[in-house]
Amino acid sequence: MRSLPLAGVTGLLCVSVLAGCGGGSDADANALTVTSTDTACEVSKTDLAAGTNTFKLINNGSKVTEVYFYAPDGKIISEKENIGPGTNYEITVTLPAGDQQIVCKPGMVGDGIGQDVKVSGEVGALDPRLAKAVADYRLYIDKQVADTVTKSEEFVAKVKAGDVEGAKALYAPSRFGWESVEPVAESFGDLDPKIDAREADLTAEEKKNWTGWHRIEKALWAEKSTDGLDEVADRLITDLKDLQDRVHTVDITPASMGNGAKELLDEVATGKITGEEEAFSHTDLVDFKANVDGAFKVYELLKPVVQEKDAALAASLDGAFTAVFDSLKKYEKDGSYVSYDTVEDDERKQLTDVVNALGEPLSKLAAAVG
């Protein structure tokens, strides 16, 4: 559940990780395109070859849109959220053979507008190093989700005991594992809004049944109470355990890993740097670190192949990740991070700059291993 940055955040954000400021990249005239408008989702070619395909996603509508690639069994292969009006974004996707759909969601709500595509042929054998990277990433996902479940159980115990201060201390740590693998978690579209919906993203009607971390966050910091939260707290654990059971079924390819790393950085740009993610607790920098950690893990696993295929890209990513981690260090405090409302506008601008510098090379990761 993510929205585009607000224009009112002191003009800090026209960040390249969103691939929209300046019209995006210059795609080849024969490149595959998915053009979203307010009423249509047009794919330039509906007979596609199995394997790696690069698409230019174009938003010619008036609303922020997102594009989903669904496998023949209905699972999400890949996705891109927050494509602003008049902008475009390139994504590399590994498509299996079979009849499937590409779906645009103008306004990022509802079931969207589907375009049927037919994919033929076979996906080539995977480089053994990439096969190992996929296997190791599955283990990483399992570990991060398990960590979130364990820490959320501790967090919920404090909530149900009425211990406001104890719950506050455990709130950000309980979310760290989720934030580090958020694109994978978000691929289960029915669970994401239950677990991670923010108040600003909900309609008046939806707020009546608001659940998840951010509902509890508001109670702890704004209402300074846990009254009436037992059911919400229990539901959070139920939904997280559901995620833990289902995450083993997610389809993972080297390209989807690369796209996921970029999505994690986009999460930083659209929610953490703006301060929109943790509107009440201001623990945005903890989420920021988790997002970047997750992106770095992907790069670390794919790095042997990236270095061989594109040494310059690997060197650029090495330097850019180091710069982001170094920039975060100045905000460390007592084993965590300072409250984000204490970070001044010029400091946020500096964080934006290092995220921009990482976003450009990270956008090439999926294509480098696809």
Side-chain angles (χ1 to χ4, degrees):
M1 300 288 290
R2 295 292 177 265
S3 60
L4 280 174
L6 296 177
V9 187
T10 64
L12 295 182
L13 286 172
C14 185
V15 287
S16 61
V17 291
L18 298 178
C21 306
S25 61
D26 295 325
D28 185 272
N30 295 318
L32 295 168
T33 61
V34 180
T35 303
S36 175
T37 67
D38 294 346
T39 58
C41 186
E42 299 176 355
V43 182
S44 61
K45 185 178 179 181
T46 56
D47 290 315
L48 304 170
T52 301
N53 291 270
T54 297
F55 295 84
K56 184 177 182 180
L57 312 181
I58 304 168
N59 185 359
N60 283 342
S62 64
K63 303 173 183 178
V64 177
T65 195
E66 54 191 1
V67 176
Y68 288 79
F69 295 81
Y70 289 96
D73 61 3
K75 293 179 183 177
I76 296 173
I77 301 171
S78 194
E79 64 179 292
K80 178 66 188 90
E81 302 176 340
N82 290 318
I83 307 170
T87 67
N88 60 74
Y89 187 96
E90 286 189 6
I91 186 170
T92 299
V93 184
T94 302
L95 298 176
D99 295 335
Q100 47 206 274
Q101 273 200 330
I102 297 174
V103 175
C104 305
K105 293 187 180 182
M108 302 201 302
V109 295
D111 295 331
I113 305 164
Q115 171 65 64
D116 293 332
V117 295
K118 183 177 181 61
V119 182
S120 304
E122 296 183 1
V123 178
L126 199 59
D127 182 317
R129 295 169 298 176
L130 293 178
K132 183 177 187 303
V134 169
D136 288 347
Y137 190 55
R138 286 192 180 278
L139 294 175
Y140 175 74
I141 293 168
D142 288 346
K143 180 179 178 181
Q144 296 306 101
V145 174
D147 180 73
T148 274
V149 171
T150 298
K151 290 179 179 175
S152 293
E153 287 176 329
E154 297 169 359
F155 166 64
V156 159
K158 295 292 185 182
V159 171
K160 295 178 70 173
D163 184 353
V164 172
E165 294 306 314
K168 283 182 176 180
L170 295 176
Y171 170 74
S174 76
R175 289 175 50 74
F176 197 92
W178 164 279
E179 290 285 346
S180 67
V181 295
E182 193 164 3
V184 173
E186 287 182 341
S187 69
F188 301 100
D190 59 327
L191 287 177
D192 178 43
K194 296 176 185 177
I195 294 170
D196 201 34
R198 300 177 305 186
E199 185 176 36
D201 298 323
L202 302 175
T203 65
E205 188 63 28
E206 289 170 336
K207 289 178 185 178
K208 296 177 182 178
N209 299 305
W210 184 21
T211 60
W213 271 304
H214 293 301
R215 172 64 190 94
I216 300 173
E217 178 203 8
K218 181 178 181 180
L220 294 174
W221 273 270
E223 300 163 9
K224 305 184 189 307
S225 171
T226 64
D227 291 348
L229 285 182
D230 282 10
E231 185 176 345
V232 175
D234 287 338
R235 174 65 176 273
L236 176 62
I237 300 303
T238 297
D239 290 335
L240 285 173
K241 287 186 174 180
D242 189 5
L243 171 66
Q244 188 174 26
D245 289 340
R246 291 162 62 180
V247 77
H248 308 296
T249 69
V250 70
D251 290 325
I252 299 174
T253 66
S256 73
M257 289 171 63
N259 290 330
K262 183 60 168 55
E263 284 287 331
L264 283 165
L265 202 66
D266 289 353
E267 289 286 341
V268 174
T270 59
K272 283 65 176 185
I273 286 180
T274 65
E276 294 175 67
E277 178 73 11
E278 306 292 356
F280 305 102
S281 65
H282 305 299
T283 55
D284 304 89
L285 288 175
V286 179
D287 295 353
F288 186 136
K289 179 62 160 55
N291 287 159
V292 178
D293 276 4
F296 182 73
K297 182 63 177 182
V298 169
Y299 169 55
E300 185 179 48
L301 292 173
L302 298 175
K303 186 175 178 178
V305 174
V306 178
Q307 280 184 314
E308 179 181 295
K309 291 188 173 182
D310 193 338
L313 176 60
S316 180
L317 285 167
D318 287 339
F321 270 114
T322 297
V324 172
F325 286 128
D326 287 348
S327 294
L328 275 172
K329 285 180 181 178
K330 67 180 288 188
Y331 303 105
E332 291 177 355
K333 181 180 180 181
D334 300 329
S336 185
Y337 290 89
V338 302
S339 180
Y340 198 57
D341 58 351
T342 67
V343 179
E344 301 293 338
D345 286 347
D346 62 333
E347 295 175 310
R348 295 187 185 197
K349 176 61 167 62
Q350 292 170 7
L351 289 172
T352 299
D353 290 343
V354 294
V355 169
N356 280 347
L358 174 57
E360 194 279 328
L362 196 59
S363 68
K364 300 176 182 178
L365 182 59
V369 297

